[in-house]
Amino acid sequence: MLTGCILARMLFRKGINVKVFEGEASPDFRSQGGTLDLHTKTGMAAMKAAGLFRHFQQFARYDGQYAAIVDKDLKYHMVRGAEDRSLGERPEIDRARLREILIDSLPPGTIQWGHRLTAIEGKTLFFGNTIYSGFDIIVGADGAWSKVRQIIDPDFRPQYTGVAMTELNIPDADLTAPEIHNIVNRGSVFASNEGQRISFQQMGDGSICIYASLVRPDADWMNPKKCGYDPRDLEATKQAFETEFEDWCPQLREALRMAQGRCIPRSLHILPIGYRWKRMPGITLIGDAAHLMTPHAGEGVNQALEDAMLLARTIAKIVERRKDIDGELVAFEKAMRARVRPVQRLAYDLCQCWMFTPGVPKSVMPKVISRHAQSRVPAVLRPLVSAGVRVYYFFKYMLCERGSATDAR
């Protein structure tokens, strides 16, 4: 929804006719999840290109850039202060608020609510008993389970990662859960243990959004007969988490107990790195429909918004210079895959190779910092940067462990 709306906004500003077909019945049809951090060169650049940066800044939380990585005992392994700009600016905004900004930016009637795509024939779209035709370009910006992708590439489905995630919420956290509210410090805290992870995110309305993740190899884990409880029932889920996270520190376990309201289980899926769908003339994909990844790199929405910005430029070029539609779309898709591939690889490594492995988060810190550091220097220097980071963390942890042993004596 976000990706399709910002693409429509950019095309509208260029005088290009556009329609957005949305399967949901209304803007407030369902909960919109947690908070997003938009990055300087991708998400925020797209908001500027759409002429919406001023609106974004009204709701952006620059103090939300605080982030900490801790272990299950609440030992801190990395802290990034809200004022830290080493990775560029990354202010937070609630997904629901960003969605509202984008929807309100479009002329009335641009979004057709309650339209679930059933078929595509040429340039004709079928929505149950309703038919629309006459489009020059069709863009599938319809998320992880893209119906456009299913139609043009029917034999392919996203792959389950083996990681299950449950979304919980603590409303009015400063009053209802002051201890975890202080720990989160208006930003985000990511706690990890082997096979387990809990993320805490401060929301603009004062609530804290919680994502509790567990390694569950069975793709059918949501079946109560498989997991032993109803994963959509809040009290049953909290009771199960008492056992799942029984060796975690009291503060983080208490935070799970304080959850109220929604309980949304998810199975994390991905598309293969560099995935190529079967082409149909005049049709392309962007965002999660094109390169679905897990949220562990914090890049999904940023890459999607950049997709929309670059595709808007491509479509404008097609219209203004009467370029070959399919030739330009093929070139756009090739560039998109090349641009997104390293981000997909990082998200894959974080989820499948690092985040849930023995020794986290200590074991993963050199890899994450090394990957980010390498991205900011010329390729010829990257091996030196990687080696330097690993040496730093070797001595950091060696000294910490020696200090702990001395204290114990």
Side-chain angles (χ1 to χ4, degrees):
M1 182 65 181
L2 299 179
T3 316
C5 283
I6 199 167
L7 174 61
R9 164 72 180 183
M10 293 175 182
L11 295 177
F12 169 73
R13 297 186 79 211
K14 296 176 182 293
I16 299 172
N17 292 327
V18 61
K19 284 285 185 185
V20 177
F21 298 99
E22 171 57 47
E24 294 181 357
S26 65
D28 56 355
F29 179 74
R30 63 180 173 90
S31 167
Q32 295 303 314
T35 181
L36 305 167
D37 63 321
L38 298 195
H39 302 171
T40 307
K41 296 181 179 179
T42 51
M44 286 201 288
M47 294 300 287
K48 291 177 180 178
L52 297 173
F53 192 64
R54 178 174 59 84
H55 300 277
F56 166 76
Q57 286 186 305
Q58 291 176 358
F59 302 103
R61 303 192 306 280
Y62 284 81
D63 59 351
Q65 295 180 100
Y66 171 86
I69 295 177
V70 303
D71 60 24
K72 67 182 181 66
D73 298 314
L74 205 57
K75 178 182 178 181
Y76 285 74
H77 292 260
M78 190 204 80
V79 175
R80 186 185 75 215
E83 70 287 346
D84 186 349
R85 301 293 186 270
S86 60
L87 297 177
E89 290 191 319
R90 298 187 172 200
E92 297 283 337
I93 186 170
D94 291 3
R95 177 182 286 272
R97 185 65 73 180
L98 180 59
R99 173 184 163 106
E100 181 181 300
I101 291 171
L102 295 175
I103 290 173
D104 290 347
S105 75
L106 298 174
T110 301
I111 303 177
Q112 302 292 305
W113 297 97
H115 282 63
R116 293 189 174 276
L117 185 67
T118 57
I120 301 174
E121 293 183 7
K123 299 297 178 63
T124 300
L125 305 179
F126 293 82
F127 303 92
N129 296 324
T130 306
I131 300 173
Y132 291 85
S133 60
F135 301 104
D136 295 310
I137 297 174
I138 296 169
V139 181
D142 46 345
W145 300 98
S146 167
K147 188 63 177 178
V148 175
R149 188 184 64 232
Q150 291 178 30
I151 290 171
I152 65 177
D153 199 358
D155 298 326
F156 189 84
R157 293 290 184 275
Q159 302 166 354
Y160 176 52
T161 62
V163 176
M165 175 186 287
T166 300
E167 179 185 338
L168 304 171
N169 185 64
I170 303 176
D172 301 316
D174 59 334
L175 300 176
T176 61
E179 186 169 19
I180 192 65
H181 177 264
N182 291 334
I183 290 171
V184 173
N185 193 27
R186 301 184 302 280
S188 301
V189 171
F190 307 99
S192 298
N193 185 39
E194 181 178 349
Q196 302 171 315
R197 191 169 192 254
I198 309 177
S199 303
F200 302 91
Q201 295 182 327
Q202 176 72 55
M203 302 291 290
D205 63 0
S207 66
I208 290 178
C209 187
I210 303 174
Y211 294 101
S213 302
L214 293 161
V215 172
R216 297 190 187 276
D218 191 340
D220 192 32
W221 75 269
M222 290 188 201
N223 184 335
K225 294 180 179 179
K226 296 288 183 68
C227 65
Y229 65 98
D230 181 356
R232 293 176 177 82
D233 181 275
L234 176 61
E235 293 307 317
T237 297
K238 289 199 292 185
Q239 187 62 41
F241 283 172
E242 287 283 346
T243 301
E244 296 277 10
F245 296 96
E246 63 180 354
D247 61 340
W248 283 53
C249 72
Q251 299 96 317
L252 300 182
R253 292 174 62 200
E254 180 63 18
L256 294 176
R257 296 190 194 106
M258 297 302 295
Q260 302 177 37
R262 66 177 180 266
C263 178
I264 305 173
R266 296 187 176 96
S267 297
L268 298 187
H269 289 75
I270 59 172
L271 291 172
I273 298 170
Y275 163 65
R276 295 173 180 270
W277 54 88
K278 296 178 181 177
R279 294 215 78 259
M280 288 181 64
I283 301 178
T284 193
L285 304 174
I286 58 176
D288 284 349
H291 44 69
L292 175 66
M293 63 189 84
T294 67
H296 300 99
E299 287 282 1
V301 69
N302 287 285
Q303 296 301 315
L305 296 180
E306 187 175 18
D307 289 347
M309 178 172 62
L310 298 177
L311 181 57
R313 294 174 186 171
T314 298
I315 294 174
K317 183 167 64 173
I318 291 171
V319 173
E320 293 167 5
R321 304 179 188 176
R322 300 185 182 277
K323 291 278 187 176
D324 169 55
I325 290 177
D326 285 302
E328 291 298 317
L329 291 183
V330 167
F332 162 78
E333 292 166 5
K334 181 179 179 180
M336 176 175 61
R337 291 189 186 98
R339 189 191 85 242
V340 176
R341 187 175 288 110
V343 180
Q344 284 183 290
R345 170 57 63 185
L346 176 59
Y348 179 89
D349 286 345
L350 285 168
C351 179
Q352 299 288 278
C353 306
W354 301 347
M355 285 289 190
F356 299 94
T357 56
V360 293
K362 172 181 173 179
S363 62
V364 75
M365 288 306 303
K367 300 172 185 176
V368 175
I369 299 299
S370 175
R371 181 69 64 87
H372 281 295
Q374 288 180 55
S375 68
R376 302 175 68 84
V377 300
V380 68
L381 298 178
R382 289 175 186 174
L384 294 176
V385 171
S386 178
V389 169
R390 292 177 186 277
V391 169
Y392 167 78
Y393 273 95
F394 171 78
F395 284 107
K396 177 180 184 292
Y397 285 119
M398 186 177 71
L399 291 174
C400 286
E401 288 169 2
R402 179 180 293 177
S404 298
T406 301
D407 293 342
R409 291 195 294 270

